[in-house]
Each structure stands twice: as C-alpha cells, then as structure tokens.
C-alpha cells in the first residue's frame, strides 16, 4: 500500500523530520482517500503556513492552494462557494488553524459550508522554532515558555462544537486505524467537518518536554506514540467519569 | 504448525528517515524490521527488513510509517498495479481575450450613487463573486452586490473580516470566477498581506478602496486620498500593481469595468481608488449598449506561472480541471514548484511580475487633458479633487491665466513619462491633493520644473476656491 | 450653459435625502446632468442633514454648492444655519409651519414661505411635506421640469404616488403665486 499511495497521490517525499506525526497523518489520510475513492482531480487542498500545511502542498497530486499564514479556511470558503462541485479540504497545524486563524475557523464552523478541516495539533509552532501556541498545555515547555506555559489551551473539539460544527472529531496519530476511519467519516460527511488530529512533533515538542513528559528510549517518537496512547480514551468511556483526566477521542455529531 | 509465507515486505531505504524514527522497528510485533546497518549519503541509517518470513501481514508498520516507505503485499494475490492517472481535459479550454457583452443595466441615462455604480460596473464586467466586510463609506457596494449577485447567478459571501474577504476572493478567482471586494482605510490595511499574495500568485481580482480620512479610524465618512502610496507599497516585498482613480459616478462604473479587464489581462490585483466623495456622490451617468470584456486564458497543460517572454502573462487554468495546480505565495518556478532558496528563480519571477505591468505602461495609462494647448502651468489632479481643480482652472482661465490641467485616471503604474513631458513644456506643475503630498512627490521625481503642492487635509472635498486662490496668486509669483 | 445650484437642508428623518434623489432623477429623466453631494456623517434622526444639488445641461465639474440659486429649509435649525451665508441671488423656500423667519438678522435673500406641512396634510399624507417643497423648486428653476417630477413620483405605490404628486403640484402653485410668473 505504501508504494501504491505514493505513486497514486503524491508528487515527492516530504521534508518532515524523522518520525514526524504529520507523516503518520499523511499516511492515514491517503489510506482513507484510497478507500473512499476520492477524486483528486475534483479536490482542492488549501493550506497555510507551517509543517502541517506542507502535508498537501506540494505533496499531493491534486489542486493545491498554499496560502498566507492562518488564512487557509478563508481562502477555502472562496474556493468552495465559487465552485460547490469541488471537494475542498484544509490541512494545517494548530498554530495556523487554531491560533492565528482561529477566527476563520469558528466562522467557517458557524457558516457550515461543506469544508473539511484537519488541524494537525502538535501543541506548538514546529517550523518557526517551537513557540507556544493556543493548544500548548498549561505548564509545557516551549521556546517562548521556558518556565512552562502559564496560559490555558483551547480544547479544539469544544471550540469547534461551540461554534456550531456539525461534525467534530479527535483522533491521535498513535491510533492510525481509528484515525483513518475518522477521516473517511469526515470526508464523506455532507457538511462542515473538523478534526483535531493529535499529532506529534519530536523535534520541537519532544525535545523540549522530554524530561517533563518522560519520553524515553533511543526512539523518542516511539516513546511519544506510546505515551500518547496512554493519555487518550474513547469519549464514550469518559462521559460518565474521567478521574485520570484523559483526553477524549472519537466523533461528535451535532444532534439534528 | 508451519505457516504459509504469503507476505512480501518492502522497505524503501531511500525514503526511510532512519534511526531518529524507527517507528516500524519498535512497532513490528514479529521482529521483521530492524535497525539498519548501512549509512546513506544523507547520513541516515534506514531501517531494514531482517526477517521477512516472520511477517504476519498485520500492516501495523505500513500504516504508521510517516514516509510511506513500507509496502506489505500479499504474494498470494496478483501484484498491485498502480493505475496511470492521466490529466483530465478541462471542460472548456479557452484562449481568453476580448469579447463584446450586452452589459447588465439598460443602456441610456441612469442616476445612482457612486458606490452603486461601482457594483453595477462589476456586474457588467462579469463579476460573479463578492466577499466583503462592512465599512463606511464602502458598504453600499456590498449591499448592492448582495442583491445583484444572486440575481445574476453569482455568489455573495459576507466574511468575518477584511483579511478573510480578500482571501475568499482569491480562492474564488482560482475556482474560475471573476471576484471583487470593496473596503476603506482600516479594511484596506487588513487586506494588504493577501493583496501581496494575489500579486505573487498572479490572481486576477479587483479591490475597491473608498478612501476616507485617516490615519486609523480617522473620520469614517469623510473623504481623503491618503491611500495612494499604500495601494502600491502597502504589501511587503515591493511589487507592481495597477490602480485607477475615478472622479465621478460615471467613472465609478466605467473604471470598475476597466479594473476587471486589466486584472484579467495582466493577472494582477487591480485597485480602484475612490474616495468618500465619489463613493457617496449621486449623479447621472450613461450606460453604453455593450461592454468590452477581457477574459483570462485557460490553456490546459501550459505552465501557469511562466512564459517565454520576460514581460509575459501566462494562462490561468481553474481548479477542478485536472491541472493539479500548485499555487503558492512562496517563490516558485513556472509550474508553481517552490524554489525558496534559488536566487535565479526569485530574480526571474520578481522581474516578470514587475515587467508584465511596467512594459505595458502605455496600455494601462489613462489620463485626460484640459486647456492644455497654450498652457504655461499645468495642474496635475486625480479623483474627486480633480473636479475642484478643474473648476479652479476654469476660473483662472477667466482671469486670463494660461493654466491647463492633466487628470490622471490611472495612478499605478505611475505615468512618469507623461509627467516629464508636461514638466518640460510648462513652467510649473501644481498638484492639489487631499493628503500631505503623495502624488506631488511622484510628480517631483519625474519633472525638472518646479512642482507646487496644494494640500488640504480637513476631511472635506477639496475647496475649489483654495485651488483658484493658488492659481491666481501664482501669477504674481511667476511674474516677479 | 444653464446651471442651478440647489441646497436642501433639514433634520434627519424629514426626507431631505429622498427629496434630493427624486429631484435628481427627474432632472436625469429630462436629459439634464445632475449631481447630489450628500451630507456626511451618520444620518441619524434629528441631526442636520444637507444635500447639495448641481443641475446643468453640461457636464458638472465641481459637484458641491458654492453659490446656491435655491435654498430649501425644512427646519428651523437648517434655516438658521444656512441663511446668514446666503446672498440676494438665492431664492429661499421654508416651511412656514416649522420655520419662523429671522427678524433680527435680515437676509439679502428673497424668501418665500411654503405651507408644506399643511399642503401635505391636505393631500392625505403628512409625510409628503418634502414633496411640496420639490414643487417649489420646480417653480423656481427652469432646469427642473414639473412633468418629469410627476413621472418620478408616480413610480411608487399608487396611493402614495397620488398624494405625492398632489403635494408637489400644490407646492408648485404656492411658489408660482409668490414668484409672480
Ligand atoms: S518540526 Fe516537528 S512538526 Fe515540523 S516536521 Fe519536524 S517533527 Fe514534524
Ligand atoms: S517507520 Fe518508515 S521512516 Fe520510520 S524507520 Fe520505519 S521505514 Fe523508516
Ligand atoms: S506487517 Fe506486521 S508483521 Fe509484517 S513487518 Fe509489518 S508490522 Fe511486522
């Protein structure tokens, strides 16, 4: 499958760091695309600036619009309204989509055009040097919060649901099969869909928080993946009680 | 019980990023994959397939590999062949160019507000997309578009801010529609980054700026012409754009059509620099039987960001035509492939973005002359101020002054050569402006004759008597 | 060249803007050039509103009113604000119901009271006072044809059109009587 996906959907290998969680998302995404039979000739990928934004552009063999930082969702709104026959998919990071671009995200959710927005959430700015973002957990170390992040993060699922998104999901890259299933559901949904993809940045986040989070072993990314699996649980299980403060994963459909 | 070997494990070591990853090595429950021994020329130690026979085909490694380097295939089944994906032909390849259209309004006289005439001009020009955000004194354009676009089969979206408005217009333009937004001072400032993006990606679009007295919130409903320099230099990087300056409701209509044509012709954002006077002024104007329209070329397969000519304008396909467009605001080659460290590509691109405009200065430049035949002094004016100026020139003529006037209808690219010629032919150039002297500086750059500024920055239309006084006072000055 | 500068002023809500638009449309219909420079600012109820009209049979250069041929004062505030600046060349119309002409500061301008509100009430629509004033403007300037005004006023809903045309016609008559032509 690896070769098939590469040849069918990509133009070139990614420049991501070894073990980058965004690569695992890319892998799951293309598995989903292939399983769905999504027509790449009728699909436009819109992405802004940052590592996550590089997933589709310049890598996917579809129309790609690589735009200014934070504005991908707004550009996508123009693309989709001007030609509703196109599948319009936004992929980007938490800095891009949820921090500088947060305003566009909530308004797109409210507007409920059938856009698909995947936020590859690695809890900080990767490409620009590991700075704190709107999703960095309180206390975490980033290059601009050396003593630990004093601010509270956004919960992107709550944010998108609060803004009215009729499909919201959260899946971790450490569970690629669930992630793929979610992507299929999001892509086949007929309205606005948002996914908080719990990604991993070994280079910036991993190194900075190695001691704090206890990432061990020679392969830090593997330890991060293992750790991530331990921090999440299906939302259905957490609805009644969540003593360990696990991060709920799964899908939230608006009751209609 | 011996198990039938049915899976082949392929690990592409050229794609594998090696020891800092080793996700697959850690993930494989059967020890099929192992740390590598070979070090590549990139200094990586890719993982390797050590015990292929042990593979159970669980595909955990395949789904986790961030670089799609692993392929597990079921050898009991026929080899997977990747279907060749051909480029789909666009539904209607078109070479673009000029056509005659019947227009949208009934031919003949109309009476309308400038902002409304601008919206009608856009509809006549084939504008099918508007995204905007309310702001005085430009909101009336949006109001009219919100009614007219649904009537004409177009799309209207009110966005969350001006940043998003500009973004949506660019997105729509690549979806194949002619798009526009309209704003004023503060909103224009917010649009700057994406206007630069439109320049870099050669996206046709029209931005209307109904200038109001600034800086900052200033006087929201009062006129000024403080955005002349911003229109050209507001986006970073220094690039050519086109800007037109209407002086009447008639020109709010005519120049909006021209703005669309120029933006399609040169694949560049065109800025219509109105002001609170021409925006809110109500006036009678004339609508012609037909409208001449220019459409961008859509040529399948042609590089969308490069031409052989140094000043060329490449064709522009739309999304969904199977072109697999790579559009980016980063430096790119003719196919849109990013070249962010290549000095030659950067130089060629920036040069062409500029040359395609500047080399066509004659085609873009538009101005009108009044009383120029025997003029010893020339007033250089634009926008609503030109109306006050022409009134003043007439009065000065009544007093026997040999004063003429040159009215700029296009201001960017600046028609420096025209200014130079009139400077050479006259003893003085006089520039009345409702700012602190933006165009007068440009005029000074191009003329060897003395240049005088008549500046008014009180948020009112230029008082024609102020210009008259200057012209009549200047007589005594020149004589001495 | 024939040209008329008309200044309409009143308070927000008195229909100054609408009156200027109707005047302008009528002139356009009659083949004249016309420009209307609206007053700036929030057109809130109760604030001073003005509309500057230039009507001409040639292209209009400066769209503002510098030396008004006709001034219409819809309210006392508007009247008091503009009257001192007017000269003997301006024909001033004011609503005799709401405006008391200034006695202390005699103006050089020729003044004509029009009982616009009364005319409107009699026509069946108290809000049509501005239409009566339009009739007065038509009486005072050859550039504003009464029949074109009638045409524009007849476009609206039937009942309103009727009262508007009636009020305008009466205003025209009242002005004509005083202008003496
Ligand atoms: S910096 Fe982080 S997010 Fe960016 S490519 Fe490297 S590992 Fe991935
Ligand atoms: S998961 Fe892929 S990139 Fe990582 S070590 Fe294995 S083959 Fe290499
Ligand atoms: S498919 Fe499963 S068993 Fe085979 S190499 Fe991959 S992880 Fe190991």
């Amino acid at each position: 499958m690896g070769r098939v996906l590469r040849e069918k959907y990509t133009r070139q290998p990614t420049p991501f760091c070894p073990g980058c969680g965004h690569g695992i998302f890319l892998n799951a995404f293309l598995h989903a695309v292939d399983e769905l039979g999504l027509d790449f000739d009728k699909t436009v990928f819109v992405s802004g600036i940052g590592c996550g934004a590089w997933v589709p552009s310049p890598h996917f063999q579809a129309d790609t619009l690589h735009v200014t930082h934070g504005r991908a969702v707004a550009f996508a709104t123009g693309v989709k309204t001007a030609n509703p026959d196109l599948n319009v998919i936004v992929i980007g990071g938490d800095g891009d989509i949820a921090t500088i671009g947060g305003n566009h995200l909530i308004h797109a959710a409210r507007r409920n055009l059938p856009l698909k927005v995947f936020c590859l959430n690695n809890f900080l700015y990767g490409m620009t040097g590991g700075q704190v973002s709107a999703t960095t957990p309180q206390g975490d170390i980033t290059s601009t919060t050396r003593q630990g992040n004093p601010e509270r993060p956004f919960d992107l699922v709550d944010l998108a649901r609060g803004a009215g998104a009729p499909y919201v999901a959260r899946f971790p890259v450490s569970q690629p099969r669930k992630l793929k299933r979610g992507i299929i559901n999001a892509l086949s949904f007929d309205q606005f869909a948002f996914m908080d993809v719990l990604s991993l940045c070994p280079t910036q986040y991993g190194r900075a928080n190695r001691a704090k989070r206890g990432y061990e072993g020679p392969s830090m990314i593997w330890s991060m993946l293992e750790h991530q699996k331990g921090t999440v649980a299906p939302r259905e299980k957490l609805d009644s009680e969540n003593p360990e403060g696990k991060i709920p994963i799964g899908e939230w459909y608006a009751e209609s | 019980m011996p198990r039938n070997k049915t899976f082949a494990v392929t690990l592409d070591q050229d794609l594998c990023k090696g020891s800092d990853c080793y996700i697959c090595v850690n993930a494989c429950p059967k020890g099929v994959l192992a740390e590598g021994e070979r070090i590549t020329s990139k200094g990586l130690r890719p993982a390797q397939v050590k015990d292929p026979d042990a593979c159970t085909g669980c595909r955990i490694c395949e789904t986790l590999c961030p670089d799609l380097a692993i392929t597990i295939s079921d050898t009991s089944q026929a080899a997977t062949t990747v279907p060749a994906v051909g480029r789909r032909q666009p539904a209607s390849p078109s070479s673009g160019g000029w056509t005659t259209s019947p227009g949208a309004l009934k031919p003949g006289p109309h009476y309308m507000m400038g902002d409304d005439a601008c919206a009608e001009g856009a509809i006549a020009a084939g504008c099918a997309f508007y995204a905007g955000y309310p702001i005085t004194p430009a909101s009336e354009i949006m109001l009219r578009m919100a009614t007219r676009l649904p009537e004409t089969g177009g799309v209207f979206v009110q966005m969350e801010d001006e940043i998003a408005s500009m973004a949506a217009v660019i997105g729509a333009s690549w979806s194949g529609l002619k798009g526009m937004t309209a704003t004023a001072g503060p909103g224009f400032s917010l649009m700057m980054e994406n206007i630069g993006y439109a320049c870099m990606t050669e996206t046709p679009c029209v931005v209307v700026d109904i200038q109001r007295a600034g800086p900052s919130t200033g006087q929201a409903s009062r006129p000024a012409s403080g955005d002349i320099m911003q229109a050209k230099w507001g986006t970073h990087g220094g690039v050519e754009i086109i800007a037109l300056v209407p002086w009447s409701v008639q020109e709010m209509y005519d120049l909006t059509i021209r703005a669309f044509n120029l933006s399609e012709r040169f694949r560049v954002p065109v800025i219509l620099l109105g002001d609170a006077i021409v925006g809110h002024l109500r006036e009678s104007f004339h609508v012609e039987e037909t409208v001449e329209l220019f459409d961008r070329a859509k040529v399948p397969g042609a590089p969308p960001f490069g031409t052989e000519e140094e000043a060329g304008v490449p064709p522009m396909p739309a999304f969904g035509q199977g072109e697999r467009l790579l559009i980016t605001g980063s430096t790119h080659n003719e196919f849109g492939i990013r070249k962010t460290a290549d000095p030659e590509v950067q130089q060629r691109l920036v040069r062409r973005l500029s040359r395609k405009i500047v080399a066509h200065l004659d085609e873009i430049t538009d101005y009108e002359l009044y009383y120029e035949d025997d003029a010893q002094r020339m007033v250089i004016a634009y926008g609503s101020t030109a109306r006050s100026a022409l009134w003043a020139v007439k009065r000065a003529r009544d007093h026997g002054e040999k004063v003429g006037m040159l009215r700029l209808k296009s201001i960017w690219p600046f028609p420096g050569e025209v200014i130079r010629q009139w400077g050479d032919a006259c003893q003085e150039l006089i520039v009345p402006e409702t700012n602190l002297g933006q165009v007068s500086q440009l005029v000074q750059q191009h003329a060897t004759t003395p240049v005088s500024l008549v500046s008014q920055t009180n948020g009112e239309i230029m008082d024609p008597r102020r210009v008259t006084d200057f012209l009549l006072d200047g007589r005594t000055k020149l004589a001495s | 060249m024939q040209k008329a500068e008309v200044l309409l002023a009143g308070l927000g809500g008195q229909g100054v803007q609408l009156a200027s638009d109707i005047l302008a449309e009528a002139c356009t219909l009659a083949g004249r050039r016309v420009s209307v420079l609206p007053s700036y600012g929030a057109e809130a109820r109760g604030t001073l509103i003005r509309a500057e009209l230039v009507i001409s049979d040639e292209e209009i250069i400066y769209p503002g009113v510098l030396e008004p041929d006709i001034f219409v004062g819809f309210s006392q505030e508007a009247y008091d604000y503009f009257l001192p600046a007017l000269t003997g060349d301006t024909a001033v119309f004011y609503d005799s119901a709401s405006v008391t002409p200034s006695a202390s500061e005699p103006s050089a301008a020729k003044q004509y009271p029009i009982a616009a509100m009364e005319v409107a009430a009699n026509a069946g629509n108290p809000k049509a006072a501005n239409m009566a004033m339009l009739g007065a403007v038509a009486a005072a300037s050859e550039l504003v044809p009464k029949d074109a005004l009638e045409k524009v006023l007849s476009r609206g809903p039937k009942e309103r059109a009727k009262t508007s045309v009636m009020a305008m016609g009466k205003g025209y008559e009242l002005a004509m009587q005083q202008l003496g032509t």
Side-chain angles (χ1 to χ4, degrees), chain A residues 86-107:
Chain A
L86 298 169
N87 310 306
V88 183
I89 300 167
V90 175
I91 299 175
D94 47 292
D96 196 39
I97 288 181
T99 310
I100 184 172
N103 195 34
H104 307 306
L105 174 64
I106 56 172
H107 285 282

Side-chain angles (χ1 to χ4, degrees), chain B residues 11 16-18 21-24 47 65-67 69-70:
Chain B
L11 192 153
C16 173
K17 287 184 182 144
C21 178
Y22 284 171
I23 291 175
C24 58
C65 174
D67 293 283
I70 303 172

